[in-house]
């Protein structure tokens, strides 16, 4: 797995956005079920990488989204965290995936007194 | 207090893959300027990527070049060269996937100028998860599944199988010995990806290879 390099990319993005190293309370990110990322190993790597990069020990808050799908039989839009269930309207697995690949750093929360 | 939390919160809203995606866009631009159509082959280790590429090398000859990222030795690259194509080996250092930056460097080393060159095939690292998040700048993403792996793999690895343009089901010569349900695999792949093109092949016997090569050819000409 490559969560270590992804955690490093996250700290690079945060550093670029803030323009400086400050202690962080929280880092809010979004991970979709089709991103191929394991939230547990990312969390494990990020704690260490963030500390080494001078951001303190922020809590990593992960917004795990569901994929959005549209049924090609009955046009029902629905959400799913995996792909074993068919459409809740008609049961068909004929569908198109509308979203689910996202992996973003959404925001950070600075530690009090860090500026 | 509310104002305080708002001030302390800094919006970032940035895709973590943005650096890779920039290199991928650069690769895509360079390759399309050279008139080269690019394939990214992804499968688990041993599914038959190199064997399929060897048979493609015999079909396309010097019209195709190959980037090998699968293993650290030059063994796979030598297999491709022997079959008739230029091949460049990426030293992945044991990485679990190729990224667009590594491909960008490989392109620097390759001779992309021969006028007959029209196709570049990239053999990714054997892995069904990691490579799915990394756009390399390819025009066609191909997922290979071999029948000994089992017909339940598609829905287990949706990040890959929802992102491919072409599914190759390989090692069809072994079907009589296994309970792999081809129709089930195809139906499940279409459930992630209704537009996917499917080819059932045996790189061992050559079954289905010509149809696949002809399809690739027709995708850019
Ligand atoms: N029976 C059979 N074996 C195959 C076929 N394609 C590849 N193999 C064998 O599978 C093994 C792994 O193939 P290789 O191309 O190195 O897989 P890669 O790791 O995906 O590049 C080799 O021993 C191949 O000879 C096929 O269509 N049928
Ligand atoms: Mg190989
Ligand atoms: Zn439906
Ligand atoms: Zn570089
Ligand atoms: Zn990886």
């Amino acid at each position: 797995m490559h969560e270590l390099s992804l955690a490093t990319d996250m700290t690079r993005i945060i550093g670029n956005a803030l323009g400086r190293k400050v202690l962080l309370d929280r880092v809010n990110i979004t991970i979709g079920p089709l991103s191929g990322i394991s939230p547990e190993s990312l969390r494990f790597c990020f704690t260490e990488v963030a500390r080494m990069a001078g951001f303190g020990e922020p809590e990593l808050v992960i917004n795990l989204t569901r994929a959005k799908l549209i049924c090609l039989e009955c046009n029902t839009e629905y959400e799913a965290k995996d792909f074993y269930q068919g459409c809740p309207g008609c049961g068909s697995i004929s569908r198109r995936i509308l979203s689910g690949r996202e992996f973003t750093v959404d925001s950070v929360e600075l530690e009090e007194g860090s500026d | 207090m509310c104002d305080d939390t708002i001030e302390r919160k800094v919006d970032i809203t940035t895709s973590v893959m943005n650096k890779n995606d920039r290199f991928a866009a650069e690769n895509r631009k360079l390759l399309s300027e050279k008139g080269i159509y690019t394939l990214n082959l992804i499968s688990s280790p041993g599914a038959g990527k190199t064997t399929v590429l060897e048979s493609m090398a015999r079909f396309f000859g010097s019209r195709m070049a190959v980037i090998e990222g699968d293993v650290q030795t030059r063994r796979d690259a030598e297999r491709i060269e022997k079959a008739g194509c230029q091949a460049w080996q990426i030293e992945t250092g044991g990485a679990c996937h190729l990224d667009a930056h590594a491909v960008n460097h490989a392109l620097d080393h390759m001779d992309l100028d021969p006028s007959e060159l029209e196709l570049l095939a990239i053999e990714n690292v054997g892995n069904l998860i990691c490579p799915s998040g990394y756009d390399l700048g390819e025009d066609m993403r191909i997922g290979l599944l071999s029948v000994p792996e089992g017909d339940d793999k598609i829905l287990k690895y949706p990040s890959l199988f929802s992102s491919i343009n072409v599914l190759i089901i390989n090692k069809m010569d072994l079907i009589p010995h296994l309970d792999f349900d081809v129709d089930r695999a195809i139906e499940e792949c279409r459930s992630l990806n209704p537009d996917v093109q499917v080819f059932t092949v045996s790189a061992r016997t050559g079954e289905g290879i010509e149809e696949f090569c002809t399809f690739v050819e027709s995708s850019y000409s």
Side-chain angles (χ1 to χ4, degrees), chain A residues 1-2 5-7 9-10 12-14 17-18 25 28 33-37 69 72 82-84 93-97 101 103-115, chain B residues 4-5 7-19 22 96-97 127 129-134 141 152 155-160 162-163 187-188 190-195:
Chain A
M1 291 307 286
H2 51 265
S5 77
L6 294 174
D9 285 339
M10 286 165 58
R12 173 182 53 79
I13 287 166
I14 294 166
L18 296 179
D25 254 348
N28 299 303
L34 294 170
S35 61
I37 289 150
L69 304 136
L72 297 179
D82 60 45
F83 300 88
Y84 291 101
I93 62 165
S94 168
R95 60 200 168 187
R96 190 175 290 281
I97 295 173
R101 317 197 77 83
F103 177 28
T104 53
V105 178
D106 302 324
S107 61
V108 296
E109 292 166 42
L110 312 189
E111 205 170 85
E112 205 154 331
S114 61
D115 34 17
Chain B
D4 189 46
T5 51
E7 255 179 45
R8 305 203 152 276
K9 188 159 173 169
V10 180
D11 181 66
I12 300 201
T13 322
T14 302
S15 161
V16 181
M17 304 310 290
N18 65 355
K19 189 171 157 198
R22 275 201 301 277
C96 43
H97 61 272
N127 183 326
I129 302 176
C130 290
S132 68
Y134 290 84
R141 183 178 285 199
D152 61 339
L155 293 185
K156 268 193 186 155
Y157 299 97
S159 64
L160 174 63
S162 65
S163 76
E187 189 194 14
E188 291 187 347
R190 294 232 159 93
S191 85
L192 298 172
N193 195 344
D195 304 321

Side-chain angles (χ1 to χ4, degrees), chain B residues 3 11 28 45 94 198 221:
Chain B
D3 284 342
D11 181 66
R28 193 167 274 122
V198 183
S221 43

Side-chain angles (χ1 to χ4, degrees), chain A residues 71-84:
Chain A
C71 174
L72 297 179
E73 293 295 333
C74 76
N75 277 329
T76 300
E77 284 196 31
Y78 61 106
E79 297 191 349
K81 66 178 195 328
D82 60 45
F83 300 88
Y84 291 101

Side-chain angles (χ1 to χ4, degrees), chain B residues 10-166:
Chain B
V10 180
D11 181 66
I12 300 201
T13 322
T14 302
S15 161
V16 181
M17 304 310 290
N18 65 355
K19 189 171 157 198
N20 183 75
D21 292 344
R22 275 201 301 277
F23 277 108
E26 205 177 287
N27 295 347
R28 193 167 274 122
K29 181 162 177 284
L30 172 84
L31 289 161
S32 80
E33 279 168 6
K34 302 241 180 227
I36 297 171
Y37 191 81
T38 303
L39 318 176
N40 178 3
L41 265 88
I42 304 174
S43 79
S44 49
K49 295 180 295 303
T50 310
T51 314
V52 167
L53 284 171
E54 284 174 298
S55 50
M56 291 179 74
R58 287 188 288 271
F59 183 95
F60 287 99
S62 59
R63 292 187 291 151
M64 179 170 97
V66 172
I67 293 177
E68 262 307 327
D70 188 26
V71 286
Q72 295 207 57
T73 68
R74 269 198 56 81
R75 230 188 102 240
D76 280 5
E78 281 161 10
R79 283 169 60 187
I80 303 295
E81 282 164 354
K82 213 173 272 169
C85 281
Q86 174 191 175
W88 179 262
Q89 177 72 47
I90 292 186
E91 302 293 337
T92 57
C96 43
H97 61 272
L98 289 182
D99 64 28
H101 186 203
V103 170
N104 194 264
H105 278 277
L107 294 177
D108 281 346
H109 291 281
M110 299 178 74
D111 180 10
L112 302 175
D113 290 324
S115 58
E116 74 270 24
L117 189 61
E118 55 193 32
L119 187 62
L120 171 68
I122 304 171
E123 177 173 346
N124 216 309
V125 179
N127 183 326
L128 290 177
I129 302 176
C130 290
S132 68
Y134 290 84
D135 182 8
L136 303 181
E138 71 268 20
D139 299 296
M140 182 187 284
R141 183 178 285 199
I142 301 169
L144 238 105
L145 180 65
S146 65
V147 296
E149 293 170 76
D151 56 15
D152 61 339
K153 291 298 171 293
I154 307 263
L155 293 185
K156 268 193 186 155
Y157 299 97
S159 64
L160 174 63
F161 291 106
S162 65
S163 76
I164 56 176
N165 307 106
V166 172

